[in-house]
Amino acid sequence: MSDALNQLVDMGFPKDRAEYALKVTNNQGMEAAMEWLLAHADEEIPKETAETPASVVADEAPKAGESSSSAPPAEAKSIKCNECNKLFRTQLEVEFHASKSGHSDFSESTEEKKPLTEEEKKEQMAKLEEKLRQKRLAREAQEKEEQIEREKLRIKSGKDLAEARRKIEEDEMKKLVAQRKREKEEERLLREKVKAQIEADRQARKLRDAKEAGQALPVQSPPPVVSPPTGPKTPAKDYTQTRIQIRMTDGSSVVESFDVKEQLAAVRLFVQMKQGPTIPFSLMTNFPKKVFADEDYEKPLDVLGLVPSAVLIVTKPQ
């Protein structure tokens, strides 16, 4: 069925009358057909039937000798509601009355209901327009609900996407933290290796210095590597940490603690982390004034006399 026919049927018009109304109005639309239906509500629509054969008409004529006094059955001119005795001309009026009142007992009646007045036609038109308005409001409400559901789905999809993105970023951060831990561990192992090499060099220098001192002194001290650990300790060896104040090139100062066995290279690495690895610099002491050379960065802090505390100045390389 066409859209106009569907709308007319939804409004309560019988399908055959709706089809006929569309036909006589040259399919000009639902409104034209509805106006025709309201204007001709009390008219019967012609039925397309074949012409009745003459033989049938002859057979239906009263035969000779038969009485023709019997009256034909009365023609039904309206539909009556047996519950409230109201008369209706069309099936549309019956259905509308039934939907409003809840009555269901109807029968054909020979009483004729007067044609609709202009006021009644306007009233019927207003009722139909109200019915159309209610249908339109219901459709708009349904479309609004569907739009809300689509918006909820869109928001949920957005939240799911944001959660997935957050989890990816969190996993990436965990990977970076794990990688940083591995780098720190590798750096620690490298520093330990360098410390061990520096300690071996220091022991070798001590042994060499002891031998040189033994040439001038009658008593030669035993090598430190073989000296028993239970011997007396000097106060300097009691320190395991040294506190170093570093004066940066911009005038600021930073205080950091280091292991006394760490190389001066650890202090240089700390300064690089503070001001950037691409800026060249040197480290020096003020009292007594000394600019550390490249070979000094491989020496432990206690060997360089930077224990238990010291002040280092960051200067431009000379």
Side-chain angles (χ1 to χ4, degrees):
M1 292 190 295
S2 64
D3 293 339
L5 181 58
N6 284 331
Q7 291 178 357
L8 290 171
V9 173
D10 289 341
M11 292 168 62
F13 290 105
K15 181 180 178 182
D16 55 346
R17 294 187 65 84
E19 290 176 342
Y20 185 76
L22 290 170
K23 181 178 179 181
V24 298
T25 56
N26 295 323
N27 290 314
Q28 294 180 2
M30 184 268 297
E31 293 184 0
M34 184 173 63
E35 290 179 0
W36 187 92
L37 287 169
L38 292 174
H40 301 80
D42 55 344
E43 297 180 9
E44 293 290 336
I45 62 172
K47 297 183 179 179
E48 298 179 357
T49 56
E51 295 182 357
T52 306
S55 59
V56 176
V57 175
D59 290 340
E60 291 179 352
K63 297 181 181 180
E66 289 185 357
S67 174
S68 58
S69 60
S70 58
E75 181 182 358
K77 297 181 179 180
S78 62
I79 302 174
K80 182 179 181 181
C81 176
N82 297 325
E83 298 183 36
C84 65
N85 296 323
K86 287 185 178 181
L87 296 178
F88 307 99
R89 283 188 300 271
T90 64
Q91 184 65 26
L92 173 62
E93 295 178 2
V94 172
E95 292 176 358
F96 183 79
H97 176 72
S99 64
K100 293 297 183 181
S101 63
H103 297 169
S104 59
D105 187 7
F106 298 90
S107 63
E108 293 182 345
S109 174
T110 57
E111 299 180 44
E112 183 177 4
K113 185 178 180 181
K114 295 179 180 180
L116 289 175
T117 64
E118 289 299 325
E119 292 296 328
E120 291 174 335
K121 289 180 181 180
K122 290 180 180 180
E123 183 181 356
Q124 290 287 347
M125 180 67 72
K127 290 179 180 178
L128 291 174
E129 290 177 352
E130 177 64 18
K131 188 173 183 181
L132 284 175
R133 191 182 70 84
Q134 293 296 335
K135 284 181 176 291
R136 184 176 64 254
L137 291 177
R139 183 174 64 254
E140 291 175 355
Q142 182 179 0
E143 292 176 353
K144 187 175 182 180
E145 288 294 331
E146 292 175 354
Q147 182 179 1
I148 292 174
E149 289 298 326
R150 288 194 298 269
E151 183 67 15
K152 288 181 179 179
L153 290 175
R154 187 189 65 79
I155 294 174
K156 184 178 183 300
S157 300
K159 288 183 178 179
D160 293 342
L161 181 61
E163 179 64 21
R165 186 182 295 111
R166 186 196 64 78
K167 192 173 186 312
I168 291 174
E169 292 176 355
E170 183 179 345
D171 293 341
E172 290 296 329
M173 183 61 67
K174 289 181 180 179
K175 290 180 182 179
L176 289 176
V177 171
Q179 181 180 357
R180 181 58 182 162
K181 286 183 178 180
R182 288 195 300 270
E183 292 175 354
K184 285 186 176 181
E185 181 64 19
E186 293 173 358
E187 182 180 351
R188 186 187 66 80
L189 294 175
L190 179 60
R191 289 169 62 181
E192 291 293 333
K193 183 177 179 181
V194 173
K195 284 181 181 180
Q197 182 63 39
I198 291 174
E199 181 66 20
D201 294 343
R202 186 178 67 82
Q203 295 294 338
R205 285 196 302 272
K206 279 188 176 182
L207 181 61
R208 185 177 65 251
D209 293 344
K211 288 182 180 179
E212 291 176 356
Q215 294 177 359
L217 298 174
V219 179
Q220 181 178 356
S221 300
V225 292
V226 296
S227 60
T230 57
K233 296 182 180 180
T234 61
K237 293 183 180 180
D238 292 336
Y239 296 102
T240 59
Q241 296 284 323
T242 179
R243 186 178 178 85
I244 297 180
Q245 180 184 6
I246 305 170
R247 297 178 182 176
M248 311 297 287
T249 55
D250 59 358
S252 61
S253 297
V254 181
V255 178
E256 184 66 19
S257 296
F258 296 89
D259 192 285
V260 296
K261 298 300 182 182
E262 287 190 273
Q263 303 173 354
L264 184 61
V267 181
R268 179 174 60 184
L269 178 61
F270 177 80
V271 175
Q272 287 176 343
M273 293 174 62
K274 288 293 183 181
Q275 69 176 13
T278 59
I279 302 176
F281 64 90
S282 298
L283 295 176
M284 63 173 288
T285 57
N286 197 7
F287 301 104
K289 183 175 182 179
K290 176 184 179 182
V291 178
F292 293 102
D294 291 341
E295 60 271 13
D296 293 327
Y297 289 98
E298 299 180 357
K299 298 178 182 179
L301 299 177
D302 57 352
V303 174
L304 295 173
L306 302 178
V307 177
S309 63
V311 177
L312 295 181
I313 303 173
V314 180
T315 63
K316 295 182 179 179
Q318 300 179 358

